[in-house]
Amino acid sequence: MPIGERLTRFIAAALATVGLAAVLSGCGGGGGMTVINLYNAPQENLSRIVERCNQLADGRYRIALNTLPRDADGQREQMVRRLAASDPGMDVLGIDVTWTAELASANWIRPWPDALRTEAEKGVLEAPLETATYEDQLYAAPYNTNVQLLWYRTDLMPEPAQTWSELVATAERLASAGEPHYVEVTGAQYEGLVVWFNSMIASADGSILNEAGDKVELGRPAVTAMKQMRDFAASAAANPSLSNTQEDTARLAMESGAAFAQLNWPFVYASMVANRPDIAENFAWAPYPGIDSPGRAPLGGANFAISAYSEHPEEAFDAALCLRDDESQLMAAVHDGLPPTIESVYADPAMADPYPMRDAILEAIKTAAPRPVTPVYQNVSTVTSALLSPPRGIDPTGDERRLADQLKDALESKGVLP
Amino acid sequence: MSTDVKAAERRLGLWLCAPAAIFMILVAGWPILYSIWLSFNRYDLRFPQDQQWVGLENYQTVLTNEFWWTAFGVTVLITVVSVAIELVLGMGLAIVMHRTLVGRGLIRTVVLIPYGIVTVVAAFGWFYAWTPGTGWLAALLPDGSAPLTQQWPAILIIIGAEVWKTTPFMALLLLAGLALVPDELSRAAAMDGAGRWKRFVSITLPLMRPAIAVALLFRTLDAFRIYDNIYILTNGAQNTGSVSIITYTNLVSGLNLGIGSTMSVLIFITVAIIAFIFVTVFKTGTPGTEGRR
């Protein structure tokens, strides 16, 4: 076969393949199946949920699962870069609870139409529902929620502490008895430090921003919260590497036996049972501690939003509804340990075994402290964590004023991110 | 008559250059003009309705901000220290490569290896080496130390990574300079009784001046834009960010095109000043014109 002919054949074959791929990836129309691109944080068993929804879709569309980077900043960055470029390649977006306002304000995600909104809100707990709402519009369907609890060893602290001062007192008693005396908390310079501060200030009856998210509140409750954080950081309860502790470091410190308590998300339970069955016997949970009384737990989670640049919004909304219905949420809870946002799912018998702490979670969600709702949350978070780090060096009154100034700039998008 | 021909030739020359010049202006000039325009606006992608002309307000915000000046200081420090170390090490390597008689090609190839490795890949190597638990270098330190989480140790590690990577480039440029120094001069000086050091300082260095200046200019401009090593090693935490890192954070993560563009314009101005100083003070731009001064 002469080379010219071979080349022609090769090009023809290549063109045919490209054409076929175009049909398969189906820009709708021509009878090919519509593909709905789902972008989500890594979740081990999400493909099972996607498969189930694809079967239910019965040929109307096919959801393709695309996995975002592992860390939240990386996920957000990839999304906002593509949204800023009006990329039509993303349809359903798995977004963190703190991004709703930002993406909605930039007109990058669609408000849910009334008919679908009712469906997405049915039976959903109030706190997670609010994280999906911005300026009275629903911008995402709640998928999973999360709360931190106090995890402790009953052999070292028979009665769970209700306040941070009680935790410190217990730590001092254990330290003088030569027992493990650390309380692990996320004190590194990142979102975890903001989560901690936000919870402390909520327990002191204050907030970082006002409810509308356009004015700085702080004030006396912030000073109280900062003082409590600094006192904790300087006490026997604080691990020397507090200023470097993230969720996973905290879990490991507790599993290694150095700590008698930690403030963390429920994923630590399964890990403790698997890694240290000997400690797991005495491993219990209690509500998040507060300033003078039990506190308000940090609230986390993720929701599904529809990209403003999606070319198949109807199918995308339908897919999102399926990805977070009762059955999907139960699967996410049982296989991946993600707490559901639909209240009735907690009562499912299948939850009992993997989720012995489900009542405590349900209870904590009802009083949990959401993070500030503002389009500039990214700035609020970076500035706050930079200012409060390291917790040991906090100067309550001075730092309250400095933080207020910097947050004010951030709200006017004049602020500079460190 | 002859001046007419010259003028005509010059005109023709300009016409022939014009397409290239216009193309350059379009490709390089437009983004610069656009970022200058953005820097005079409040332009935050999160508030599409609130875009407006704010004049020099963004410049005032950035130039009075402590985070910006910390990043600026860190960048200058990294630039000065790493380029100084590279110059000394690079000169040493260049002399070794120049004097080598056996296996010259092999030695030059080996020296160039660090420069050939993609910066991000090399940075990951350093990152893991300095991370407790995974790293051979971290294992040499006392238990519990994590140098990349502290400001000064982290900056030293960043400088080390930069030096490791770009010294070969410096050495290569200096080697070219060394080749320009005629051997006879050195030999004549030796006859007159000048020692090795004397010959190096009085003959080799002055003759290499243009090569050294070019090498310093290239590396200084390059080092000032440092991004990839820091991005991997600390991503700017604990005040280790450079001006490029903080610009990226504000522009891409923060979605604030106004502030971010202001920062990039400031970087542009700084780089222009550095280049201007090199060109006027060291006469780097046009090697070979010194004699005609």
Side-chain angles (χ1 to χ4, degrees):
Chain A
M1 199 189 297
I3 286 181
E5 197 176 317
R6 258 197 233 171
L7 195 67
T8 324
R9 277 192 169 204
F10 175 76
I11 292 173
L15 283 178
T17 319
V18 172
L20 192 66
V23 173
L24 282 180
S25 68
C27 306
M33 204 194 287
T34 306
V35 172
I36 296 300
N37 277 302
L38 162 67
Y39 279 80
N40 202 73
Q43 181 193 327
E44 210 178 335
N45 292 291
L46 184 57
S47 56
R48 292 199 199 191
I49 296 175
V50 168
E51 239 163 71
R52 173 179 160 264
C53 288
N54 278 338
Q55 269 166 13
L56 290 176
D58 198 24
R60 277 177 300 133
Y61 56 83
R62 188 177 62 80
I63 305 170
L65 172 61
N66 301 277
T67 304
L68 290 166
R70 188 155 287 280
D71 62 305
D73 280 343
Q75 296 159 14
R76 178 181 160 280
E77 223 157 81
Q78 186 176 138
M79 268 186 196
V80 297
R81 281 168 81 158
R82 294 181 63 171
L83 290 168
S86 317
D87 186 341
M90 301 195 292
D91 301 294
V92 181
L93 312 173
I95 60 170
D96 192 279
V97 289
T98 56
W99 304 340
T100 315
E102 175 176 45
L103 300 185
S105 171
N107 299 328
W108 285 337
I109 51 178
R110 296 170 191 251
W112 281 58
D114 286 337
L116 299 170
R117 177 176 181 163
T118 329
E119 169 109 25
E121 289 180 343
K122 205 164 58 189
V124 175
L125 290 156
E126 201 187 315
L129 185 59
E130 262 169 39
T131 65
T133 315
Y134 178 62
E135 292 183 339
D136 295 325
Q137 294 255 36
L138 185 75
Y139 276 96
Y143 171 49
N144 68 67
T145 181
N146 226 339
V147 277
Q148 287 194 3
L149 297 173
L150 170 67
W151 303 87
Y152 65 102
R153 285 172 58 172
T154 49
D155 54 330
L156 296 169
M157 181 165 65
E159 279 299 306
Q162 299 204 333
T163 66
W164 285 84
S165 333
E166 280 176 43
L167 269 179
V168 170
T170 311
E172 272 158 9
R173 184 172 54 75
L174 289 170
S176 52
E179 301 273 8
H181 55 88
Y182 294 146
V183 177
E184 298 295 327
V185 55
T186 52
Q189 185 185 328
Y190 80 121
E191 181 63 19
L193 184 57
V194 186
V195 164
W196 182 21
F197 175 61
N198 187 55
S199 198
M200 297 295 278
I201 191 169
S203 300
D205 291 325
S207 60
I208 299 180
L209 303 181
N210 66 351
E211 204 158 318
D214 55 8
K215 266 176 74 185
V216 184
E217 290 273 301
L218 296 178
R220 193 179 290 271
V223 178
T224 313
M226 287 182 185
K227 196 167 165 309
Q228 183 72 74
M229 287 167 81
R230 187 208 46 203
D231 291 351
F232 173 85
S235 76
N239 191 320
S241 58
L242 170 69
S243 62
N244 206 12
T245 301
Q246 304 199 358
E247 280 98 336
D248 221 41
T249 352
R251 169 183 73 87
L252 290 170
M254 182 105 188
E255 283 176 15
S256 74
F260 74 95
Q262 65 173 321
L263 284 310
N264 218 330
W265 309 100
F267 78 98
V268 298
Y269 178 76
S271 169
M272 183 63 90
V273 171
N275 297 341
R276 288 298 297 265
D278 53 325
I279 299 183
E281 280 173 24
N282 301 315
F283 195 52
W285 55 86
Y288 201 87
I291 308 278
D292 312 305
S293 54
R296 297 180 59 189
L299 183 70
N303 307 316
F304 288 126
I306 309 303
S307 160
Y309 305 104
S310 165
E311 286 168 350
H312 315 286
E314 218 169 286
E315 290 87 348
F317 277 117
D318 197 57
L321 279 176
C322 173
L323 290 168
R324 42 73 57 201
D325 66 8
D326 297 30
E327 187 64 31
S328 296
Q329 291 206 9
L330 184 65
M331 287 167 84
V334 171
H335 297 300
D336 290 321
L338 298 172
T341 56
I342 299 176
E343 188 161 7
S344 60
V345 179
Y346 286 84
D348 197 291
M351 284 283 283
D353 197 38
Y355 255 72
M357 74 302 269
R358 64 192 184 288
D359 289 335
I361 291 178
L362 203 49
E363 211 40 55
I365 288 172
K366 289 179 179 161
T367 60
R371 277 164 273 173
V373 176
T374 161
V376 289
Y377 182 74
Q378 185 73 14
N379 303 37
V380 170
S381 165
T382 330
V383 164
T384 308
S385 64
L387 218 118
L388 293 179
S389 180
R392 216 191 155 96
I394 294 176
D395 153 29
T397 38
D399 279 350
E400 189 270 335
R401 222 168 307 133
R402 265 194 291 278
L403 184 58
D405 283 347
Q406 292 190 1
L407 287 179
K408 198 170 151 286
D409 280 352
L411 290 179
E412 289 162 13
S413 54
K414 283 200 308 201
V416 172
L417 289 177
Chain B
M1 168 77 187
S2 87
T3 49
D4 272 6
V5 172
K6 263 193 182 160
E9 270 187 355
R10 189 175 296 136
R11 228 180 357 260
L12 179 66
L14 287 177
W15 277 113
L16 288 175
C17 283
I22 290 170
F23 190 70
M24 284 280 284
I25 290 169
L26 285 178
V27 173
W30 169 241
I32 295 175
L33 288 179
Y34 187 56
S35 28
I36 293 175
W37 181 78
L38 279 175
S39 72
F40 291 126
N41 281 273
R42 173 183 158 135
Y43 200 119
D44 191 322
L45 287 177
R46 292 164 299 193
F47 301 101
Q49 302 84 7
D50 296 342
Q51 283 159 17
Q52 53 170 318
W53 180 268
V54 294
L56 289 169
E57 202 177 293
N58 286 334
Y59 287 89
Q60 196 197 338
T61 305
V62 173
L63 291 173
T64 54
N65 186 278
E66 52 177 316
F67 298 135
W68 167 259
W69 287 113
T70 310
F72 198 86
V74 168
T75 314
V76 170
L77 179 82
I78 292 177
T79 306
V80 171
V81 175
S82 67
V83 172
I85 299 175
E86 281 163 21
L87 180 65
V88 175
L89 286 182
M91 185 62 91
L93 274 178
I95 293 172
V96 169
M97 289 195 282
H98 188 62
R99 295 267 167 259
T100 315
L101 295 175
V102 199
R104 188 176 275 206
L106 184 72
I107 285 177
R108 288 184 187 181
T109 315
V110 168
V111 165
L112 268 177
I113 285 178
Y115 192 64
I117 297 176
V118 179
T119 316
V120 172
V121 176
F124 266 116
W126 291 112
F127 175 78
Y128 286 114
W130 286 110
T131 301
T134 59
W136 56 283
L137 285 167
L140 303 176
L141 299 169
D143 246 7
S145 39
L148 285 173
T149 62
Q150 293 160 286
Q151 188 187 16
W152 284 108
I155 289 179
L156 288 180
I157 291 174
I158 291 166
I159 291 176
E162 275 288 288
V163 168
W164 179 81
K165 192 192 148 54
T166 41
T167 302
F169 177 67
M170 187 72 113
L172 209 65
L173 289 178
L174 295 177
L175 180 64
L178 267 182
L180 290 176
V181 181
D183 260 354
E184 303 85 70
L185 287 179
S186 238
R187 255 178 267 145
M191 295 286 277
D192 292 340
R196 268 171 190 278
W197 180 248
K198 181 85 185 153
R199 273 179 281 154
F200 179 69
V201 174
S202 312
I203 296 176
T204 314
L205 276 188
L207 284 172
M208 278 182 72
R209 209 185 56 120
I212 293 176
V214 167
L216 280 181
L217 173 67
F218 278 25
R219 276 304 307 142
T220 309
L221 293 183
D222 225 25
F224 192 78
R225 298 177 321 206
I226 178 172
Y227 180 82
D228 19 20
N229 262 323
I230 300 185
Y231 181 78
I232 302 296
L233 287 168
T234 65
N235 200 9
Q238 282 85 34
N239 291 325
T240 55
S242 65
V243 283
S244 300
I245 293 272
I246 195 175
T247 305
Y248 178 86
T249 312
N250 282 277
L251 202 59
V252 180
S253 312
L255 301 172
N256 196 338
L257 303 192
I259 295 281
S261 301
T262 306
M263 290 176 171
S264 45
V265 170
L266 289 172
I267 296 179
F268 175 73
I269 293 173
T270 318
V271 166
I273 291 175
I274 295 176
F276 180 77
I277 293 174
F278 268 98
V279 172
T280 52
V281 177
F282 298 101
K283 303 273 182 284
T284 316
T286 45
T289 51
E290 297 83 9
R292 281 189 257 135
R293 240 183 302 165

